[in-house]
Structure formats: structure tokens, C-alpha cells
Amino acid sequence: MTTPADETNPDAPATDAPATRKVPVELGLRAYEVLIGHGVLKQLGALMEERGLQGPFTVITDYRGDHARREVWEKILFEDGVDYPTLDVPPGEASKSLEAYARLMSELAQRKVPRSGTIIALGGGVMGDLAGFVAASYLRGIAFVQVPTTLLAMVDSSVGGKTGVNLPEGKNLVGAFYQPKLVVADLGTLRTLPGREFSAGLAEVIKYGAIASEGLFDRVAAGVTVEDEDLAEIIETCVAIKAGIVVEDEFETGTQRALLNFGHTIGHAIERATGYTTYLHGEAIALGMRAAAWLSVWQLGLLEEEAKRIELALSANGLPLELKPEVDRGAILAALGNDKKVGSDGKNRWVLLKELGVAESGWEIEEDLVEKAIGLLYTP
Ligand SMILES: NC(=O)c1ccc[n+]([C@@H]2O[C@H](COP(=O)([O-])OP(=O)(O)OC[C@H]3O[C@@H](n4cnc5c(N)ncnc54)[C@H](O)[C@@H]3O)[C@@H](O)[C@H]2O)c1
Ligand SMILES: [Zn+2]
């Protein structure tokens, strides 16, 4: 990987600091930048002003009930003395609901937030998706800024413009493509992230390596921790891969964006089959990538050795390779049939690897092979 900038001085101004890495998302009129670095949130006001974003600014976040996080974050969030009006949401996936959405809309209306205002989504993917959808639809759309604070949100959900909430009938069934005006990923916020959540984010990093960059794959296969000096560079590489795909296929009408679903067909089925309570998203995706790697061997001639490298990369980053024995394999198979992304013919379309770093979407796979891959997840 190349190192476009050195990130050693957290006190330098964010705008031209070598410490801050910038990835452009070149979407024409909807173009924006993803800024990644230590201490970059301290310049948020200036960064928003440079981009013509106006107040009133409203933060939507789930951190304020967490005292430990509050103590650490209040030293790193925003310029000294700046205290943006804030709307609090309880943490957890349950907040990605129509009820939370309706409450936030009403609160914005009661506060008379005008169309010229800006929403700041501060938190993980749940806050980004929820606050992003609020921004997409309040007064038919007001500006918003993503401030991702989980590794998963930094490398994945804050970039690309998918916003939305869940229905009782299923995840992400309501939403909009709505791009932020700016994404600011401050690595300082990761200091409070539980290790299990960090590992779950690394599953998506392994995914980017597997589908698009063998160099990134090799780096993450060695194991990544929150203290690693090249963490900003790793995040930058992931964001650049995602941005490249999103620019090609903003509204997921082509085949490019589907590549991001490597490991997600079985991963989503595992999440559905276990009621979203047993595994974090990244953990389910890790299992799905193990299965998809072997499907790639059987269907597309991926070298066995490369499937084994994927397994080693997952375990080196604290991710599961095996399903808990109590998870019902029939339920996973049934859940595969209910994937939101099945084709109009009701068949799953799979993303497979030709080699490490090269993926292909749109594969159909015979059911007995899929069963064999799921069976593999019950073995070491
Ligand atoms: N829009 C997209 O393109 C996209 C892509 C992938 C995932 N998603 C969505 O993202 C969501 C998952 O995101 P997530 O994994 O970030 O979960 P999350 O937002 O629920 O965060 C996980 C937990 O960590 C807490 N947290 C967040 N940052 C923290 C920090 N720095 N320190 C301590 N605790 C912290 C949160 O309060 C929460 O309890 C799902 O709803 C998924 O559907 C969206
Ligand atoms: Zn994912």
C-alpha cells in the first residue's frame, strides 16, 4: 500500500494537516470527501464552514447515556466551547426504527430547524443510517455530515449514501440513497470501542481485501489492533475501494456494488436465522466469507490455499470460523430463501472470488453445494 501522508501530529489544523487523510467520493454534484485522522473532529466546525454548511447544526447520537464513553469523547469531540444542540437516541439496532425516526422528525420540527440547517450523525452504523434517513426526508432533505465512531461505520456504512431504518418485517426495508456532504472519521473515538465491535469491523476490512486488494488482505491477515500506526492507512484503503465502487454504481443498479456483498448472502441468513442476537454483523459475515471462500474453490477454481488464507485472516482478527452447534442449519437454509437481494427468479446471486483480490458477482450455485458450505461451518 502507498502512504500518501504521515499521521503523527494530532494538533495540526485539519484542513491542510498531513495528519489527515482525504478520500474523495467523486459523485459529481453529490461529491464529498472522507477525512480520516487523529484529532480531526476538533476542526469539524471549520471543515463544515469550508464546505458551505450552515447552522443550525443538530447532532443525532447515542453516546450520551454511556458515561465511560462520554468522559473520553468529551475531550476529543468538537472545538473547545462548541456545544451543538443534540438529539439523543438509545444505543442499539432497535433505534433504527420508524418510531425513532418519527420522534426525531417531530423534534426537528418543534425546534424549527430550517432547510438550511445541517444534521451531524455521530456514532456507528445505526446512527448513520437513522440520522441519514432523517436528513434525507426532513423538509425533503437537509444537509448531513457523517461522523462514524465504529470501525464498521468508518470503513463501510458512512460512505456510499445508503440510509434507512428497519421494519418488523425485515432489516433496511425503508430508506433512501442520500449522500452526506462530508465524512469525518476521528480515530480517537475508537479508543472506547469494545474489542468485539472492533473485530466485527475488521471482517469488512478482510472483505475489501478479498474482493479488491491482495495487499490490503495480506496486511489485515497479519492481525490489526486499534493501536496499530497504520490503522488510518488501512481505513483509507477500504474507503477508497468503497468509494470507487459507489462512484461506478451509486444506486446499485449495476453489478459493481453487489461485490460488497461478498460473504453477506450466508452472513445475512445466519443473522436472520439467529434473530440478530447471537452474532454481530461482522461475525456473521466472517462465517459467510469462510463459506463463500470454499464455494469459490468448488465453483470458480479459487486455490484451496487461498481459501485457507481467508480462514487464517479471520481467526487472526478474533473472528469466528465455526457456527455455534445450537444454530439450526435448516433455519439458515430457510433464511437464504428470504434474502432481500434474491433475483426476480427467487434465486440467490453469489459473489465469489476468482483469486484473492478479484471478485465476480451474479453466480448461481446449486443447493447441494450451498448445503455443503454451510455444513463446513460446523467443522473446525
Ligand atoms: N448504510 C450502509 O451502507 C451500511 C453498511 C453496513 C452496515 N450498515 C448498518 O450499520 C449498522 C451496524 O453498525 P455498527 O456495527 O457501527 O453498530 P452500532 O451503530 O449499533 O454500534 C455498535 C455499538 O457500539 C456503540 N458505539 C459506537 N461507537 C462507539 C465507540 N467509539 N466506543 C464505544 N461504543 C461505541 C454503539 O452505541 C452501539 O452500542 C447496522 O444497522 C447495519 O445495517 C449500514
Ligand atoms: Zn457488511
Side-chain angles (χ1 to χ4, degrees), residues 73-88:
W73 281 20
E74 286 184 350
K75 296 193 188 85
I76 54 177
L77 290 182
F78 315 143
E79 296 83 340
D80 295 336
V82 172
D83 194 9
Y84 296 116
T86 298
L87 294 176
D88 293 299

PDB file of all heavy atoms in Angstrom, residues 73-88:
ATOM      1  N   TRP A  73     -14.812  10.914  25.180  1.00  0.00           N
ATOM      2  CA  TRP A  73     -15.161  11.655  23.967  1.00  0.00           C
ATOM      3  C   TRP A  73     -15.240  13.155  24.193  1.00  0.00           C
ATOM      4  O   TRP A  73     -14.926  13.924  23.291  1.00  0.00           O
ATOM      5  CB  TRP A  73     -16.511  11.166  23.434  1.00  0.00           C
ATOM      6  CG  TRP A  73     -16.424   9.882  22.671  1.00  0.00           C
ATOM      7  CD1 TRP A  73     -15.420   8.953  22.724  1.00  0.00           C
ATOM      8  CD2 TRP A  73     -17.388   9.387  21.754  1.00  0.00           C
ATOM      9  NE1 TRP A  73     -15.713   7.903  21.906  1.00  0.00           N
ATOM     10  CE2 TRP A  73     -16.918   8.142  21.295  1.00  0.00           C
ATOM     11  CE3 TRP A  73     -18.604   9.859  21.284  1.00  0.00           C
ATOM     12  CZ2 TRP A  73     -17.636   7.376  20.373  1.00  0.00           C
ATOM     13  CZ3 TRP A  73     -19.309   9.100  20.375  1.00  0.00           C
ATOM     14  CH2 TRP A  73     -18.824   7.872  19.927  1.00  0.00           C
ATOM     15  N   GLU A  74     -15.706  13.558  25.376  1.00  0.00           N
ATOM     16  CA  GLU A  74     -15.931  14.993  25.513  1.00  0.00           C
ATOM     17  C   GLU A  74     -14.616  15.770  25.440  1.00  0.00           C
ATOM     18  O   GLU A  74     -14.606  16.961  25.188  1.00  0.00           O
ATOM     19  CB  GLU A  74     -16.826  15.293  26.719  1.00  0.00           C
ATOM     20  CG  GLU A  74     -18.253  14.881  26.313  1.00  0.00           C
ATOM     21  CD  GLU A  74     -19.379  15.148  27.293  1.00  0.00           C
ATOM     22  OE1 GLU A  74     -19.084  15.511  28.448  1.00  0.00           O
ATOM     23  OE2 GLU A  74     -20.559  14.980  26.889  1.00  0.00           O
ATOM     24  N   LYS A  75     -13.491  15.043  25.560  1.00  0.00           N
ATOM     25  CA  LYS A  75     -12.184  15.709  25.385  1.00  0.00           C
ATOM     26  C   LYS A  75     -11.802  15.804  23.906  1.00  0.00           C
ATOM     27  O   LYS A  75     -10.957  16.609  23.535  1.00  0.00           O
ATOM     28  CB  LYS A  75     -11.101  14.924  26.120  1.00  0.00           C
ATOM     29  CG  LYS A  75     -11.313  14.892  27.621  1.00  0.00           C
ATOM     30  CD  LYS A  75     -10.055  14.394  28.331  1.00  0.00           C
ATOM     31  CE  LYS A  75     -10.304  14.170  29.799  1.00  0.00           C
ATOM     32  NZ  LYS A  75     -10.863  12.845  30.107  1.00  0.00           N
ATOM     33  N   ILE A  76     -12.375  14.957  23.084  1.00  0.00           N
ATOM     34  CA  ILE A  76     -11.916  14.945  21.680  1.00  0.00           C
ATOM     35  C   ILE A  76     -12.950  15.482  20.700  1.00  0.00           C
ATOM     36  O   ILE A  76     -12.639  15.806  19.574  1.00  0.00           O
ATOM     37  CB  ILE A  76     -11.490  13.518  21.235  1.00  0.00           C
ATOM     38  CG1 ILE A  76     -12.588  12.506  21.483  1.00  0.00           C
ATOM     39  CG2 ILE A  76     -10.214  13.089  21.917  1.00  0.00           C
ATOM     40  CD1 ILE A  76     -12.235  11.108  20.979  1.00  0.00           C
ATOM     41  N   LEU A  77     -14.197  15.573  21.162  1.00  0.00           N
ATOM     42  CA  LEU A  77     -15.252  15.996  20.240  1.00  0.00           C
ATOM     43  C   LEU A  77     -15.264  17.508  20.097  1.00  0.00           C
ATOM     44  O   LEU A  77     -15.311  18.224  21.084  1.00  0.00           O
ATOM     45  CB  LEU A  77     -16.633  15.585  20.774  1.00  0.00           C
ATOM     46  CG  LEU A  77     -16.984  14.101  20.772  1.00  0.00           C
ATOM     47  CD1 LEU A  77     -18.394  13.925  21.295  1.00  0.00           C
ATOM     48  CD2 LEU A  77     -16.856  13.502  19.385  1.00  0.00           C
ATOM     49  N   PHE A  78     -15.225  17.983  18.902  1.00  0.00           N
ATOM     50  CA  PHE A  78     -15.501  19.369  18.558  1.00  0.00           C
ATOM     51  C   PHE A  78     -14.525  20.357  19.225  1.00  0.00           C
ATOM     52  O   PHE A  78     -13.777  20.009  20.131  1.00  0.00           O
ATOM     53  CB  PHE A  78     -16.952  19.730  18.887  1.00  0.00           C
ATOM     54  CG  PHE A  78     -17.938  18.668  18.442  1.00  0.00           C
ATOM     55  CD1 PHE A  78     -19.053  18.371  19.207  1.00  0.00           C
ATOM     56  CD2 PHE A  78     -17.727  17.950  17.271  1.00  0.00           C
ATOM     57  CE1 PHE A  78     -19.956  17.389  18.798  1.00  0.00           C
ATOM     58  CE2 PHE A  78     -18.624  16.965  16.854  1.00  0.00           C
ATOM     59  CZ  PHE A  78     -19.739  16.686  17.630  1.00  0.00           C
ATOM     60  N   GLU A  79     -14.602  21.580  18.738  1.00  0.00           N
ATOM     61  CA  GLU A  79     -13.746  22.646  19.238  1.00  0.00           C
ATOM     62  C   GLU A  79     -14.124  22.956  20.678  1.00  0.00           C
ATOM     63  O   GLU A  79     -15.284  22.798  21.084  1.00  0.00           O
ATOM     64  CB  GLU A  79     -13.952  23.923  18.403  1.00  0.00           C
ATOM     65  CG  GLU A  79     -13.542  23.791  16.956  1.00  0.00           C
ATOM     66  CD  GLU A  79     -14.616  23.164  16.058  1.00  0.00           C
ATOM     67  OE1 GLU A  79     -15.534  22.491  16.583  1.00  0.00           O
ATOM     68  OE2 GLU A  79     -14.524  23.352  14.845  1.00  0.00           O
ATOM     69  N   ASP A  80     -13.138  23.440  21.431  1.00  0.00           N
ATOM     70  CA  ASP A  80     -13.424  23.804  22.814  1.00  0.00           C
ATOM     71  C   ASP A  80     -14.552  24.819  22.840  1.00  0.00           C
ATOM     72  O   ASP A  80     -14.559  25.771  22.066  1.00  0.00           O
ATOM     73  CB  ASP A  80     -12.173  24.395  23.470  1.00  0.00           C
ATOM     74  CG  ASP A  80     -11.084  23.333  23.549  1.00  0.00           C
ATOM     75  OD1 ASP A  80     -11.434  22.142  23.551  1.00  0.00           O
ATOM     76  OD2 ASP A  80      -9.908  23.715  23.572  1.00  0.00           O
ATOM     77  N   GLY A  81     -15.490  24.603  23.709  1.00  0.00           N
ATOM     78  CA  GLY A  81     -16.578  25.559  23.868  1.00  0.00           C
ATOM     79  C   GLY A  81     -17.731  25.352  22.901  1.00  0.00           C
ATOM     80  O   GLY A  81     -18.806  25.898  23.108  1.00  0.00           O
ATOM     81  N   VAL A  82     -17.538  24.567  21.868  1.00  0.00           N
ATOM     82  CA  VAL A  82     -18.652  24.337  20.933  1.00  0.00           C
ATOM     83  C   VAL A  82     -19.537  23.240  21.486  1.00  0.00           C
ATOM     84  O   VAL A  82     -19.061  22.184  21.884  1.00  0.00           O
ATOM     85  CB  VAL A  82     -18.137  23.939  19.525  1.00  0.00           C
ATOM     86  CG1 VAL A  82     -19.294  23.524  18.626  1.00  0.00           C
ATOM     87  CG2 VAL A  82     -17.364  25.085  18.913  1.00  0.00           C
ATOM     88  N   ASP A  83     -20.808  23.520  21.535  1.00  0.00           N
ATOM     89  CA  ASP A  83     -21.743  22.556  22.102  1.00  0.00           C
ATOM     90  C   ASP A  83     -22.973  22.540  21.198  1.00  0.00           C
ATOM     91  O   ASP A  83     -23.882  23.328  21.360  1.00  0.00           O
ATOM     92  CB  ASP A  83     -22.104  23.018  23.535  1.00  0.00           C
ATOM     93  CG  ASP A  83     -22.790  21.916  24.301  1.00  0.00           C
ATOM     94  OD1 ASP A  83     -22.835  20.780  23.801  1.00  0.00           O
ATOM     95  OD2 ASP A  83     -23.302  22.211  25.406  1.00  0.00           O
ATOM     96  N   TYR A  84     -22.955  21.656  20.207  1.00  0.00           N
ATOM     97  CA  TYR A  84     -24.062  21.650  19.246  1.00  0.00           C
ATOM     98  C   TYR A  84     -25.317  21.100  19.918  1.00  0.00           C
ATOM     99  O   TYR A  84     -25.234  20.160  20.727  1.00  0.00           O
ATOM    100  CB  TYR A  84     -23.716  20.760  18.056  1.00  0.00           C
ATOM    101  CG  TYR A  84     -22.536  21.233  17.242  1.00  0.00           C
ATOM    102  CD1 TYR A  84     -21.378  20.468  17.169  1.00  0.00           C
ATOM    103  CD2 TYR A  84     -22.590  22.426  16.534  1.00  0.00           C
ATOM    104  CE1 TYR A  84     -20.287  20.882  16.413  1.00  0.00           C
ATOM    105  CE2 TYR A  84     -21.498  22.842  15.783  1.00  0.00           C
ATOM    106  CZ  TYR A  84     -20.357  22.075  15.727  1.00  0.00           C
ATOM    107  OH  TYR A  84     -19.274  22.489  14.984  1.00  0.00           O
ATOM    108  N   PRO A  85     -26.485  21.670  19.585  1.00  0.00           N
ATOM    109  CA  PRO A  85     -27.734  21.082  20.071  1.00  0.00           C
ATOM    110  C   PRO A  85     -27.785  19.610  19.679  1.00  0.00           C
ATOM    111  O   PRO A  85     -27.366  19.253  18.568  1.00  0.00           O
ATOM    112  CB  PRO A  85     -28.822  21.865  19.337  1.00  0.00           C
ATOM    113  CG  PRO A  85     -28.165  23.114  18.873  1.00  0.00           C
ATOM    114  CD  PRO A  85     -26.706  22.807  18.693  1.00  0.00           C
ATOM    115  N   THR A  86     -28.265  18.765  20.589  1.00  0.00           N
ATOM    116  CA  THR A  86     -28.158  17.318  20.390  1.00  0.00           C
ATOM    117  C   THR A  86     -29.496  16.630  20.601  1.00  0.00           C
ATOM    118  O   THR A  86     -30.252  16.985  21.506  1.00  0.00           O
ATOM    119  CB  THR A  86     -27.111  16.761  21.376  1.00  0.00           C
ATOM    120  OG1 THR A  86     -25.858  17.370  21.070  1.00  0.00           O
ATOM    121  CG2 THR A  86     -26.965  15.256  21.275  1.00  0.00           C
ATOM    122  N   LEU A  87     -29.781  15.666  19.758  1.00  0.00           N
ATOM    123  CA  LEU A  87     -30.938  14.789  19.953  1.00  0.00           C
ATOM    124  C   LEU A  87     -30.411  13.407  20.316  1.00  0.00           C
ATOM    125  O   LEU A  87     -29.602  12.830  19.577  1.00  0.00           O
ATOM    126  CB  LEU A  87     -31.769  14.711  18.668  1.00  0.00           C
ATOM    127  CG  LEU A  87     -32.454  16.014  18.242  1.00  0.00           C
ATOM    128  CD1 LEU A  87     -33.166  15.825  16.900  1.00  0.00           C
ATOM    129  CD2 LEU A  87     -33.453  16.467  19.295  1.00  0.00           C
ATOM    130  N   ASP A  88     -30.840  12.884  21.459  1.00  0.00           N
ATOM    131  CA  ASP A  88     -30.333  11.598  21.948  1.00  0.00           C
ATOM    132  C   ASP A  88     -31.234  10.453  21.519  1.00  0.00           C
ATOM    133  O   ASP A  88     -32.457  10.570  21.507  1.00  0.00           O
ATOM    134  CB  ASP A  88     -30.256  11.618  23.483  1.00  0.00           C
ATOM    135  CG  ASP A  88     -29.213  12.600  23.963  1.00  0.00           C
ATOM    136  OD1 ASP A  88     -28.040  12.414  23.614  1.00  0.00           O
ATOM    137  OD2 ASP A  88     -29.583  13.569  24.674  1.00  0.00           O
TER     138      ASP A  88
END
